[in-house]
Amino acid sequence: QVQLVESGGGLVQAGGSLSLSCAASERSFSRYNMGWFRQAPGKEREFVAAIRWSNRYTDYADSVKGRFTISRDNAKNTLYLQMNNLKPEDTAVYYCAAGGGLRSPSSYDYWGQGTQVTVSS
């Protein structure tokens, strides 16, 4: 059982930046593909970014490509999401997830509790 705890959310103006972190409870973290997803009120959970266990492949939703960067530090059991040039439409609860097949939320085995990101215009 992997426990995931997100941090770093908050309120920021459009054009600003935020950095999210996701701390994992297990050393086996390095064997999991990891992903970031988000869910806005009234909308389905959507894929944001993912990174393979090997740290050699990343994938991004078109809506965040060029603005967000996913990374991981397997020595620290931590996943990161650097978000730059934020837009009001990025407002959502952001979740990290472990063990999945990159883009599909249903393929992930473990989820964090989420952290709120609010971007004001």
mmCIF file of all heavy atoms in Angstrom, residues 14-36:
data_model
loop_
_atom_site.group_PDB
_atom_site.id
_atom_site.type_symbol
_atom_site.label_atom_id
_atom_site.label_comp_id
_atom_site.label_asym_id
_atom_site.label_seq_id
_atom_site.Cartn_x
_atom_site.Cartn_y
_atom_site.Cartn_z
ATOM 1 N N ALA A 14 -3.007 34.885 -12.465
ATOM 2 C CA ALA A 14 -2.701 34.399 -13.811
ATOM 3 C C ALA A 14 -1.305 34.872 -14.220
ATOM 4 O O ALA A 14 -0.926 36.010 -13.970
ATOM 5 C CB ALA A 14 -3.747 34.904 -14.795
ATOM 6 N N GLY A 15 -0.569 33.950 -14.836
ATOM 7 C CA GLY A 15 0.801 34.233 -15.218
ATOM 8 C C GLY A 15 1.831 33.836 -14.179
ATOM 9 O O GLY A 15 3.035 33.829 -14.459
ATOM 10 N N GLY A 16 1.357 33.498 -12.992
ATOM 11 C CA GLY A 16 2.253 33.122 -11.920
ATOM 12 C C GLY A 16 2.646 31.656 -11.969
ATOM 13 O O GLY A 16 2.295 30.923 -12.908
ATOM 14 N N SER A 17 3.368 31.230 -10.933
ATOM 15 C CA SER A 17 3.878 29.868 -10.872
ATOM 16 C C SER A 17 3.582 29.229 -9.523
ATOM 17 O O SER A 17 3.460 29.931 -8.509
ATOM 18 C CB SER A 17 5.403 29.857 -11.083
ATOM 19 O OG SER A 17 5.747 30.355 -12.359
ATOM 20 N N LEU A 18 3.450 27.927 -9.531
ATOM 21 C CA LEU A 18 3.339 27.128 -8.316
ATOM 22 C C LEU A 18 4.100 25.838 -8.530
ATOM 23 O O LEU A 18 4.220 25.352 -9.670
ATOM 24 C CB LEU A 18 1.885 26.787 -7.997
ATOM 25 C CG LEU A 18 1.009 27.838 -7.319
ATOM 26 C CD1 LEU A 18 -0.417 27.327 -7.196
ATOM 27 C CD2 LEU A 18 1.560 28.221 -5.956
ATOM 28 N N SER A 19 4.587 25.281 -7.434
ATOM 29 C CA SER A 19 5.275 23.998 -7.500
ATOM 30 C C SER A 19 4.583 23.030 -6.557
ATOM 31 O O SER A 19 4.478 23.301 -5.355
ATOM 32 C CB SER A 19 6.741 24.166 -7.102
ATOM 33 O OG SER A 19 7.411 22.926 -7.181
ATOM 34 N N LEU A 20 4.099 21.922 -7.081
ATOM 35 C CA LEU A 20 3.455 20.892 -6.285
ATOM 36 C C LEU A 20 4.441 19.776 -5.984
ATOM 37 O O LEU A 20 5.305 19.453 -6.802
ATOM 38 C CB LEU A 20 2.252 20.314 -7.025
ATOM 39 C CG LEU A 20 1.178 21.290 -7.483
ATOM 40 C CD1 LEU A 20 0.014 20.522 -8.103
ATOM 41 C CD2 LEU A 20 0.699 22.153 -6.336
ATOM 42 N N SER A 21 4.271 19.175 -4.820
ATOM 43 C CA SER A 21 5.063 18.007 -4.448
ATOM 44 C C SER A 21 4.125 16.886 -4.036
ATOM 45 O O SER A 21 3.010 17.132 -3.566
ATOM 46 C CB SER A 21 5.999 18.335 -3.283
ATOM 47 O OG SER A 21 6.931 19.324 -3.638
ATOM 48 N N CYS A 22 4.598 15.663 -4.189
ATOM 49 C CA CYS A 22 3.837 14.489 -3.766
ATOM 50 C C CYS A 22 4.816 13.526 -3.108
ATOM 51 O O CYS A 22 5.680 12.955 -3.781
ATOM 52 C CB CYS A 22 3.154 13.844 -4.961
ATOM 53 S SG CYS A 22 2.364 12.263 -4.616
ATOM 54 N N ALA A 23 4.679 13.371 -1.806
ATOM 55 C CA ALA A 23 5.574 12.500 -1.051
ATOM 56 C C ALA A 23 4.954 11.117 -0.924
ATOM 57 O O ALA A 23 3.786 10.984 -0.530
ATOM 58 C CB ALA A 23 5.820 13.094 0.323
ATOM 59 N N ALA A 24 5.734 10.110 -1.257
ATOM 60 C CA ALA A 24 5.262 8.726 -1.187
ATOM 61 C C ALA A 24 5.827 8.039 0.041
ATOM 62 O O ALA A 24 6.942 8.320 0.480
ATOM 63 C CB ALA A 24 5.683 7.973 -2.442
ATOM 64 N N SER A 25 5.058 7.104 0.567
ATOM 65 C CA SER A 25 5.416 6.469 1.833
ATOM 66 C C SER A 25 6.381 5.313 1.685
ATOM 67 O O SER A 25 6.945 4.862 2.673
ATOM 68 C CB SER A 25 4.150 5.963 2.526
ATOM 69 O OG SER A 25 3.521 4.981 1.721
ATOM 70 N N GLU A 26 6.568 4.820 0.474
ATOM 71 C CA GLU A 26 7.336 3.594 0.319
ATOM 72 C C GLU A 26 8.563 3.772 -0.571
ATOM 73 O O GLU A 26 8.557 4.539 -1.526
ATOM 74 C CB GLU A 26 6.463 2.497 -0.303
ATOM 75 C CG GLU A 26 5.358 2.007 0.580
ATOM 76 C CD GLU A 26 4.969 0.590 0.255
ATOM 77 O OE1 GLU A 26 5.497 0.036 -0.721
ATOM 78 O OE2 GLU A 26 4.133 0.042 0.989
ATOM 79 N N ARG A 27 9.597 2.989 -0.228
ATOM 80 C CA ARG A 27 10.802 3.021 -1.039
ATOM 81 C C ARG A 27 10.572 2.405 -2.404
ATOM 82 O O ARG A 27 11.331 2.649 -3.331
ATOM 83 C CB ARG A 27 11.930 2.298 -0.313
ATOM 84 C CG ARG A 27 12.500 3.095 0.837
ATOM 85 C CD ARG A 27 13.534 2.306 1.596
ATOM 86 N NE ARG A 27 12.929 1.256 2.389
ATOM 87 C CZ ARG A 27 13.624 0.451 3.175
ATOM 88 N NH1 ARG A 27 14.921 0.540 3.256
ATOM 89 N NH2 ARG A 27 13.000 -0.487 3.876
ATOM 90 N N SER A 28 9.487 1.614 -2.545
ATOM 91 C CA SER A 28 9.170 1.020 -3.844
ATOM 92 C C SER A 28 8.647 2.058 -4.829
ATOM 93 O O SER A 28 8.363 1.733 -5.982
ATOM 94 C CB SER A 28 8.146 -0.101 -3.676
ATOM 95 O OG SER A 28 6.970 0.402 -3.077
ATOM 96 N N PHE A 29 8.522 3.293 -4.366
ATOM 97 C CA PHE A 29 8.115 4.414 -5.219
ATOM 98 C C PHE A 29 8.858 4.401 -6.540
ATOM 99 O O PHE A 29 8.292 4.683 -7.585
ATOM 100 C CB PHE A 29 8.392 5.722 -4.454
ATOM 101 C CG PHE A 29 8.320 6.964 -5.283
ATOM 102 C CD1 PHE A 29 7.110 7.593 -5.516
ATOM 103 C CD2 PHE A 29 9.476 7.545 -5.808
ATOM 104 C CE1 PHE A 29 7.040 8.758 -6.257
ATOM 105 C CE2 PHE A 29 9.413 8.712 -6.550
ATOM 106 C CZ PHE A 29 8.202 9.317 -6.778
ATOM 107 N N SER A 30 10.127 4.073 -6.514
ATOM 108 C CA SER A 30 10.956 4.140 -7.727
ATOM 109 C C SER A 30 10.508 3.150 -8.792
ATOM 110 O O SER A 30 10.892 3.288 -9.956
ATOM 111 C CB SER A 30 12.435 3.903 -7.378
ATOM 112 O OG SER A 30 12.609 2.589 -6.881
ATOM 113 N N ARG A 31 9.678 2.186 -8.426
ATOM 114 C CA ARG A 31 9.224 1.185 -9.401
ATOM 115 C C ARG A 31 7.887 1.553 -10.049
ATOM 116 O O ARG A 31 7.407 0.843 -10.926
ATOM 117 C CB ARG A 31 9.083 -0.176 -8.723
ATOM 118 C CG ARG A 31 10.376 -0.695 -8.121
ATOM 119 C CD ARG A 31 10.337 -2.193 -8.005
ATOM 120 N NE ARG A 31 9.246 -2.641 -7.152
ATOM 121 C CZ ARG A 31 9.401 -2.971 -5.874
ATOM 122 N NH1 ARG A 31 10.584 -2.850 -5.307
ATOM 123 N NH2 ARG A 31 8.387 -3.407 -5.163
ATOM 124 N N TYR A 32 7.285 2.662 -9.575
ATOM 125 C CA TYR A 32 5.962 3.027 -10.079
ATOM 126 C C TYR A 32 6.026 4.121 -11.140
ATOM 127 O O TYR A 32 6.758 5.101 -10.977
ATOM 128 C CB TYR A 32 5.096 3.550 -8.935
ATOM 129 C CG TYR A 32 4.673 2.513 -7.936
ATOM 130 C CD1 TYR A 32 5.345 2.368 -6.736
ATOM 131 C CD2 TYR A 32 3.581 1.695 -8.189
ATOM 132 C CE1 TYR A 32 4.941 1.426 -5.809
ATOM 133 C CE2 TYR A 32 3.168 0.755 -7.268
ATOM 134 C CZ TYR A 32 3.853 0.612 -6.077
ATOM 135 O OH TYR A 32 3.452 -0.322 -5.167
ATOM 136 N N ASN A 33 5.212 3.954 -12.188
ATOM 137 C CA ASN A 33 4.888 5.110 -13.011
ATOM 138 C C ASN A 33 4.064 6.066 -12.154
ATOM 139 O O ASN A 33 3.259 5.617 -11.321
ATOM 140 C CB ASN A 33 4.069 4.708 -14.231
ATOM 141 C CG ASN A 33 4.852 3.840 -15.189
ATOM 142 O OD1 ASN A 33 6.084 3.885 -15.247
ATOM 143 N ND2 ASN A 33 4.148 3.020 -15.947
ATOM 144 N N MET A 34 4.254 7.361 -12.343
ATOM 145 C CA MET A 34 3.554 8.351 -11.536
ATOM 146 C C MET A 34 2.849 9.356 -12.433
ATOM 147 O O MET A 34 3.332 9.671 -13.527
ATOM 148 C CB MET A 34 4.537 9.097 -10.629
ATOM 149 C CG MET A 34 5.269 8.225 -9.631
ATOM 150 S SD MET A 34 4.188 7.516 -8.380
ATOM 151 C CE MET A 34 3.592 8.994 -7.553
ATOM 152 N N GLY A 35 1.735 9.875 -11.934
ATOM 153 C CA GLY A 35 0.994 10.846 -12.728
ATOM 154 C C GLY A 35 0.401 11.948 -11.883
ATOM 155 O O GLY A 35 0.226 11.808 -10.672
ATOM 156 N N TRP A 36 0.123 13.063 -12.535
ATOM 157 C CA TRP A 36 -0.652 14.162 -11.962
ATOM 158 C C TRP A 36 -1.966 14.267 -12.741
ATOM 159 O O TRP A 36 -1.959 14.236 -13.981
ATOM 160 C CB TRP A 36 0.102 15.480 -12.053
ATOM 161 C CG TRP A 36 1.229 15.632 -11.107
ATOM 162 C CD1 TRP A 36 2.563 15.460 -11.369
ATOM 163 C CD2 TRP A 36 1.138 15.995 -9.715
ATOM 164 N NE1 TRP A 36 3.303 15.683 -10.235
ATOM 165 C CE2 TRP A 36 2.455 16.015 -9.209
ATOM 166 C CE3 TRP A 36 0.088 16.302 -8.853
ATOM 167 C CZ2 TRP A 36 2.753 16.335 -7.878
ATOM 168 C CZ3 TRP A 36 0.380 16.613 -7.545
ATOM 169 C CH2 TRP A 36 1.690 16.631 -7.059
#
